Every structure is written in structure tokens, then in C-alpha cells.
Amino acid sequence: MKPIIKIMSVPGLLLGFLIGCQQVPELESEFILKAASFNQEDTAIANQFGCSEKPQVFQFAADSTVQSLHYTVYKLNQGEWEVQWTGDQSLSGTRGRIAVYSDSLPAGYTLILQCDNICVKDELRVDDPDFTMPEDAVLSTASLKQEIPFQLNEEIPVILQRISTENDTILVDLEQFFKPDTFAKQDDVWALTLIFQGSDHSLQLPS
């Protein structure tokens, strides 16, 4: 009987090996963030919250290890990013959409988070709401366009906006968030970043 057992175990091991190979992709969870189109559901939600302008919409997919979304609005001050506003929202699911309205810039942003049929609105305000746009100023905006993978607790710039009075035709780029010294000193620059947080990670809000 022993030879029969050995013969039968070879196909069994091979089958187990093949099944194991097929299951490997399912064990790997991939976090994805990408731009999305403004659809009818977004419009209905925007109307409910009193938002009329067309927003930048981002769509995310994660897993149950992601517990909350942390967002920060920065303003460039003498070549360094200065925190203007931070907030946290708990996530009730692993997939959702984030609509960002910047029509009130430079007073701030309005963010609407959709996740598992729950919608939350937050107004992100900066410290200079009385700022007025100079007549000869040019507003340049860079936002996330392509699909990107992300890691837990990684800070991701999704919107970068510059108000410049210089005759500057160079477009802004999200990578400049990590190189703030590339902006001119006279430019007014804002950035919005997102961090998908786990249950064992929390960020303290500035006092």
C-alpha cells in the first residue's frame, strides 16, 4: 500500500501547488487612488450639501486595515509648508469617493466624502479668508489624474494650486509638493493631501 500512497500524493501535491499559486494574488491587498468623473450621484449629493461648482473627484479602494481618512491643507510660507487645516473622518467601508470643491479658494476647500452610502461634508478653511485675487494673477492647478497605488499612512498630494502675478507659463506639478523650493517667493501656493490611516495610527490636530 505504501507505493500507492506515494503515487497518489504526487498529483495531490501538484494540485495543491497549483491552487496555492492561483490564490497568491488574492492574498495581496492593493490600495488604489485615482481620479473619477463627476456623475449623477455626485451631483445629487452636491445639491444636498449646497455645492454648485464642479469638483475634483477621487476614488479609492482599500481593505479593512484602513480605518480613517486624514486630510491636510497646507499653504507655502517662505519656502516651507505651513499647516492651515487638518481633519479626520472614519471610513465605514473599503471603497469610496472624495469630492473636493475649490471654488472658495483661497478661503479654503470643501470636501465631501462618500463611503458605504454615508456622506460627510467638511469645510477646510485657511487663516487668510480675506485674501483677494490680484487682477493680473494667474491660478494654476495640478491634481491627481492617473491611478496610483498607496500605502497605509502615506501622505498623498492630490491638489496643488498656485496664484502667481508673474508671467509664468510653467505648469505646476504635484511632485512640487515634495520640492517646495521650486516655487517663486511671491507665489501663493496651497496643497491638499490625504492619508489613509490604520487603527493603530492617529495624528494629533494642531492646537
Side-chain angles (χ1 to χ4, degrees), residues 134-155:
E135 293 184 1
D136 57 344
V138 177
L139 173 63
S140 302
T141 300
S143 62
L144 181 69
K145 299 297 184 184
Q146 76 277 19
E147 179 179 302
I148 62 168
F150 65 88
Q151 297 179 350
L152 205 62
N153 304 325
E154 174 188 0
E155 187 165 30

Side-chain angles (χ1 to χ4, degrees), residues 95-196:
R95 296 176 181 272
R97 294 166 69 86
I98 305 162
V100 180
Y101 296 81
S102 59
D103 52 292
S104 59
L105 191 76
Y109 299 89
T110 298
L111 184 148
I112 297 179
L113 170 65
Q114 301 172 242
C115 187
D116 197 22
N117 297 321
I118 296 177
C119 299
V120 179
K121 175 186 175 182
D122 202 353
E123 294 183 345
L124 318 179
R125 294 295 173 247
V126 302
D127 65 350
D128 190 11
D130 297 325
F131 177 92
T132 56
M133 182 87 74
E135 293 184 1
D136 57 344
V138 177
L139 173 63
S140 302
T141 300
S143 62
L144 181 69
K145 299 297 184 184
Q146 76 277 19
E147 179 179 302
I148 62 168
F150 65 88
Q151 297 179 350
L152 205 62
N153 304 325
E154 174 188 0
E155 187 165 30
I156 311 164
V158 292
I159 293 180
L160 191 64
Q161 295 186 290
R162 179 192 65 191
I163 296 177
S164 178
T165 56
E166 296 294 319
N167 187 16
D168 193 352
T169 59
I170 300 177
L171 299 178
V172 295
D173 187 275
L174 286 179
E175 287 300 316
Q176 288 180 275
F177 175 75
F178 304 104
K179 302 175 182 179
D181 57 345
T182 58
F183 292 104
K185 292 182 179 180
Q186 67 272 16
D187 289 347
D188 288 286
V189 188
W190 291 265
L192 172 65
T193 68
L194 306 177
I195 300 177
F196 293 86

Side-chain angles (χ1 to χ4, degrees), residues 32-146:
I32 293 296
L33 180 66
K34 63 180 180 180
S37 300
F38 187 62
N39 58 30
Q40 292 183 346
E41 184 179 0
D42 295 321
T43 302
I45 293 172
N47 292 337
Q48 179 182 354
F49 283 109
C51 299
S52 57
E53 300 294 327
K54 189 175 181 180
Q56 301 276 347
V57 182
F58 308 101
Q59 183 173 316
F60 67 87
D63 62 21
S64 59
T65 60
V66 175
Q67 298 293 311
S68 63
L69 174 67
H70 179 86
Y71 37 86
T72 305
V73 176
Y74 294 94
K75 184 178 180 181
L76 197 62
N77 183 15
Q78 297 182 354
E80 295 184 358
W81 291 116
E82 187 176 84
V83 174
Q84 299 293 299
W85 186 277
T86 64
D88 290 274
Q89 291 292 345
S90 297
L91 298 179
S92 56
T94 58
R95 296 176 181 272
R97 294 166 69 86
I98 305 162
V100 180
Y101 296 81
S102 59
D103 52 292
S104 59
L105 191 76
Y109 299 89
T110 298
L111 184 148
I112 297 179
L113 170 65
Q114 301 172 242
C115 187
D116 197 22
N117 297 321
I118 296 177
C119 299
V120 179
K121 175 186 175 182
D122 202 353
E123 294 183 345
L124 318 179
R125 294 295 173 247
V126 302
D127 65 350
D128 190 11
D130 297 325
F131 177 92
T132 56
M133 182 87 74
E135 293 184 1
D136 57 344
V138 177
L139 173 63
S140 302
T141 300
S143 62
L144 181 69
K145 299 297 184 184
Q146 76 277 19

